[in-house]
Amino acid sequence: MVVSSAPGKVYLFGEHAVVYGEPAVPCAIERRARVTVEKRDDDRLRVHAEDLSLDGFTVEYSSESEETPDVNVSESLVAAGVGYIDAAVEQARDAADAPEVGFDITVESKIPLGAGLGSSAAVVCAGIDAATRELGVELTSEEIAERAYRAELEVQDGEASRADTFCSATGGAVRVEGDDCRSIDAPDLPFVIGFDGGAGDTGQLVAGVRALREEYDFAADTVASIGDIVRSGEEALADGDLEELGRLMNFNHGLLEALGVSSRSLDNMVWAARDADALGAKLTGAGGGGCIVALDESDGTETALKFTPGCEAAFRAGLDTDGVRVEEV
Ligand code: MEV
């Protein structure tokens, strides 16, 4: 049996603009998905998931057959929970040249689903790491990033960015520009997350920005300005200048708001963080609902968020310099 874990992430800067070739900076956070994998004697998969916003369920099936998993939760939730695991298992089987092997798999994730924190990437990275190790193969974090990206591409019908999977596999702060992903130096980043309990529709939100950008030159300029913020943010990261990072996060949120991807609950949480003297705050991910990220060394923002209408959960999750890692063998 092998247990591996991998972190979620926030976008410090650059979501949406990254779709148009601008750079972006995602950062791994101290919130992990843990995946336990044990080889079986047959070719079946048994998946048990907990805390995946799904209240816990177990399914057992053979990936070769068309049989519907026998479970008491809705099919779409099962598909969401199991699709990524299936794709991770396929990658592990391929890496270990063991196409017929079956596994018992337990997923424990404290990363809300679909809320801009890279939950699926974390599950896929940890799953590939644990399953390959269980088969006696040790992949580098770059190899896991590549295979996890391919797994996400498959589940998401060819629509995936490398940002989440690279960040989860390597940890730390990452610079993404097109297909080029690299780790960059960063100081300790005191992130606080606020979660409104919801999730935006990434496809719709990306399409909305695309339409605005095509209709208005100033919307295209707004997207390009986010790229400028990212470049300034990289300098602030290199200088370890948290105050400047906070100012740039506020600016980035304002531009995302102008592009129509914020929401009342996200804005409420951003303002609660600013009123609590956070250095800066912005939505993270596609927007529409989900999470904000604030920068605050004190307890002020976390406390303020807990009393903010529309905020369902608030927690501290600093920059995690560890990417995917083995927890137990
Ligand atoms: C979503 O997490 C991030 C977006 O930039 C979309 C993408 O990069 O694929 C909104």
Side-chain angles (χ1 to χ4, degrees):
M1 181 199 79
V2 178
V3 185
S4 294
S5 76
K9 66 102 199 24
V10 291
Y11 269 99
L12 184 56
F13 304 114
E15 54 274 89
H16 284 288
V18 73
V19 173
Y20 305 98
E22 299 291 349
V25 177
C27 292
I29 54 168
E30 288 165 331
R31 270 261 153 156
R32 292 185 158 257
R34 278 167 64 94
V35 180
T36 304
V37 175
E38 189 156 18
K39 207 164 98 180
R40 292 170 61 111
D41 293 334
D42 56 27
D43 68 353
R44 294 173 71 79
L45 292 181
R46 179 178 177 278
V47 179
H48 176 70
E50 276 171 26
D51 297 333
L52 209 67
S53 310
L54 294 178
D55 279 345
F57 71 85
T58 303
V59 292
E60 183 173 327
Y61 56 102
S62 161
S63 43
E64 291 307 306
S65 77
E66 292 295 307
E67 75 190 88
T68 310
D70 179 22
V71 282
N72 60 354
V73 291
S74 90
E75 231 174 87
S76 63
L77 288 183
V78 174
V82 174
Y84 289 101
I85 294 290
D86 258 356
V89 164
E90 272 319 306
Q91 288 297 326
R93 284 172 170 155
D94 181 61
D97 200 14
E100 305 281 300
V101 70
F103 297 104
D104 286 338
I105 297 174
T106 301
V107 179
E108 299 157 277
S109 173
K110 295 228 173 339
I111 310 167
L113 270 179
L117 298 186
S119 60
S120 56
V123 167
V124 169
C125 285
I128 293 174
D129 189 58
T132 46
R133 284 175 189 273
E134 176 71 357
L135 298 175
V137 174
E138 227 176 279
L139 301 178
T140 64
S141 56
E142 284 76 18
E143 287 169 325
I144 290 173
E146 179 60 33
R147 286 190 175 276
Y149 169 63
R150 281 192 240 154
E152 285 217 324
L153 268 185
E154 197 184 308
V155 181
Q156 295 165 198
D157 295 328
E159 289 281 336
S161 107
R162 289 180 180 273
D164 289 18
T165 38
F166 187 88
C167 194
S168 187
T170 60
V174 166
R175 181 186 198 276
V176 183
E177 190 170 0
D179 275 349
D180 181 51
C181 299
R182 55 189 69 186
S183 298
I184 55 175
D185 286 340
D188 229 4
L189 295 170
F191 292 132
V192 180
I193 313 286
F195 174 41
D196 71 3
D201 180 327
T202 302
Q204 250 176 39
L205 290 152
V206 169
V209 172
R210 185 178 299 281
L212 278 178
R213 200 172 160 272
E214 278 164 11
E215 185 164 0
Y216 301 111
D217 286 347
F218 52 78
D221 292 344
T222 303
V223 169
S225 296
I226 292 177
D228 292 337
I229 290 178
V230 180
R231 284 179 277 273
S232 299
E234 285 177 66
E235 282 172 31
L237 272 176
D239 295 342
D241 186 344
L242 295 192
E243 291 195 357
E244 175 70 355
L245 287 173
R247 279 192 291 272
L248 294 168
M249 288 169 76
N250 287 337
F251 217 123
N252 196 160
H253 182 77
L255 297 186
L256 289 167
E257 211 279 321
L259 291 171
V261 298
S262 192
S263 69
R264 189 176 289 268
S265 57
L266 294 174
D267 285 343
N268 280 348
M269 292 191 287
V270 162
W271 277 104
R274 291 177 184 168
D275 286 345
D277 287 336
L279 295 170
K282 63 182 278 296
L283 67 84
T284 170
C291 290
I292 65 133
V293 54
L295 212 53
D296 190 355
E297 272 158 341
S298 80
D299 293 336
T301 296
E302 193 181 343
T303 307
L305 284 173
K306 283 183 173 150
F307 289 99
T308 302
C311 177
E312 194 151 290
F315 50 90
R316 181 169 285 289
L319 178 72
D320 197 337
T321 50
D322 264 6
V324 63
R325 69 177 181 226
V326 62
E327 301 282 352
E328 277 174 51
V329 188

